[in-house]
Amino acid sequence: MGHAPDFETVVERHRREIQVHCYRMLGSLSDAEDLAQETFLRAWKARDRFEGRASVRTWLYRIATNACLDVLARRPRRVLPDQLGPAGEPAGPISAVDLPWLEPYPDRLLDEAGPDAAVVERETIELAYLAAVQYLPPRQRAALVLRDVLGWSAKETADLLETSVASANSALQRARATLRERLPARRAEWTAGDPTAGETALLKRFIAAYEQGDPQAVARLLHEDARAVMPPYDLWFASAAAIVHALSLSLDPASPHCVGRFRMRATRANRQPAVATWLRHPGADEYRWFGVSLLTIEHGLITDLAAFESVPAAAWGLPEIWREG
């Protein structure tokens, strides 16, 4: 694999799944892009030492995992607002907070990750899973991803972590215990796989309600205990009533807190239904990129809403400015 054309072929074959692996470890699309590039740079520098005792894919995963562990050793975990403090109540303008926020990952990129379904299956890429993984110390996180996502053996995992099989197994068991505590109890009931007809209809109603500036129409789509987080704001809501109150302040043109009018398009992220959003501020003449919101749907109602304002439109293959038609 020492010749540049051969190496470039290998890179392209594995680039996206290595990026997904780094995302799962780090919880950040931007960091994952950087670490995937770092992985292939390290691999290029070490190409003459590759002995072929393991597959090239396994070798790249080893390099990527170690690169992620290096980053995790010096950076705080990524968070969502509901991990920082109790829910609040809407009370007008809020300010962004500069924290290492968890980021979503577009399905359009997951679809490029290759034929191994385990790499991108919803159970280990959905937002709730990524949020729970952030609570794990780096080595527990690596043990969990290597064993439960990639299907590595205990010995392979121990070799990478430079520890004993017993220690690697102990790290895995502690990681699994933390996830059981952190993951939603009814997670298995969430809509999974390709969008259902009911999910598609709900998304259409959700988009219409927002575009028409109708908080009460949104309310009819929410579970009474629905939760909403909005990175980069640390304020979050723990009921449909609080969410609708906030929308009443921000969507009403007569309100001093009105943010403007929205245009939306259905999309998907982290194997979940989502909407891409453009916003026209009061007095503005065009709709500009606003962000992406991920929805969790259970029994035909939205139970969780995560709105991310700081994600780039390019990652979703979408324009910065909304064009009608």
Side-chain angles (χ1 to χ4, degrees), residues 16 56-58 159 165-166 177 183 192 195 272 279 292 294 296 305 310:
R16 189 64 72 197
V56 172
R57 181 174 182 261
T58 297
D159 288 346
V165 169
L183 287 173
Q272 298 176 230
L279 173 65
V292 171
L294 278 64
T296 300
L305 177 62
S310 56

Side-chain angles (χ1 to χ4, degrees), residues 3-318:
H3 300 294
D6 293 338
F7 184 81
E8 290 172 1
T9 299
V10 169
V11 165
E12 291 310 312
R13 184 182 307 140
H14 298 291
R15 180 185 298 277
R16 189 64 72 197
E17 67 172 299
I18 292 297
Q19 186 187 102
V20 173
H21 175 63
C22 294
Y23 170 73
R24 194 179 269 109
M25 288 285 292
L26 302 171
S28 163
L29 172 58
S30 54
D31 285 353
E33 291 171 337
D34 292 343
L35 265 292
Q37 189 66 26
E38 173 67 17
T39 294
F40 291 112
L41 178 60
R42 292 187 186 189
W44 171 255
K45 292 179 178 178
R47 65 193 184 282
D48 293 336
R49 299 196 297 275
F50 177 66
E51 299 176 353
R53 288 181 291 186
S55 69
V56 172
R57 181 174 182 261
T58 297
W59 179 60
L60 290 173
Y61 270 105
R62 291 179 64 92
I63 295 172
T65 303
N66 280 315
C68 290
L69 288 172
D70 290 345
V71 169
L72 291 170
R74 61 179 185 270
R75 291 189 188 174
R77 68 180 177 91
R78 290 191 169 266
V79 297
L80 288 175
D82 59 347
Q83 299 170 338
L84 301 176
E89 293 293 331
I94 53 177
S95 299
V97 179
D98 185 14
L99 288 173
W101 297 110
L102 192 65
E103 298 173 358
Y105 196 99
D107 273 22
R108 65 185 288 269
L109 302 185
L110 292 175
D111 292 339
E112 299 173 3
D116 188 348
V119 170
V120 295
E121 64 185 6
R122 177 176 179 186
E123 186 178 32
T124 61
I125 203 68
E126 66 196 3
L127 200 64
Y129 180 89
L130 269 293
V133 164
Q134 296 300 302
Y135 283 97
L136 302 178
R139 292 168 68 82
Q140 287 185 31
R141 194 179 305 189
L144 180 86
V145 172
L146 294 172
R147 293 292 306 279
D148 286 359
V149 177
L150 299 180
W152 282 30
S153 69
K155 185 178 185 308
E156 289 172 320
T157 302
D159 288 346
L160 186 149
L161 296 176
E162 298 182 341
T163 190
S164 67
V165 169
S167 293
N169 283 337
S170 177
L172 175 62
Q173 295 308 315
R174 293 196 302 274
R176 287 173 174 170
T178 298
L179 255 64
R180 284 194 295 270
E181 295 173 359
R182 296 291 179 181
L183 287 173
R186 293 184 292 176
R187 177 169 171 248
E189 300 176 19
W190 293 356
T191 301
D194 294 332
T196 65
E199 177 185 294
T200 300
L202 186 149
L203 278 175
K204 287 182 179 178
R205 292 170 62 197
F206 181 85
I207 289 171
Y210 261 84
E211 291 189 342
Q212 293 165 12
D214 187 347
Q216 294 308 314
V218 176
R220 291 190 286 273
L221 307 178
L222 300 175
H223 189 279
E224 64 179 354
D225 295 326
R227 298 156 63 93
V229 297
M230 305 163 289
Y233 307 105
D234 59 359
L235 178 67
W236 65 281
F237 307 128
S239 69
I243 295 170
V244 172
H245 183 196
L247 289 175
S248 298
L249 293 174
S250 61
L251 295 180
D252 182 0
S255 167
H257 308 302
C258 179
V259 297
R261 297 298 298 270
F262 288 100
R263 289 291 181 266
M264 291 180 165
R265 180 182 300 175
T267 185
R268 290 185 70 83
N270 296 76
R271 295 299 188 223
Q272 298 176 230
V275 289
T277 307
W278 292 259
L279 173 65
R280 189 186 71 195
H281 288 289
D285 57 4
E286 61 186 7
Y287 291 88
R288 302 193 65 85
W289 177 255
F290 184 72
V292 171
S293 297
L294 278 64
L295 283 63
T296 300
I297 299 172
E298 183 181 322
H299 301 307
L301 291 173
I302 298 167
T303 57
D304 285 87
L305 177 62
F308 296 88
E309 286 191 23
S310 56
V311 298
W316 269 262
L318 294 171

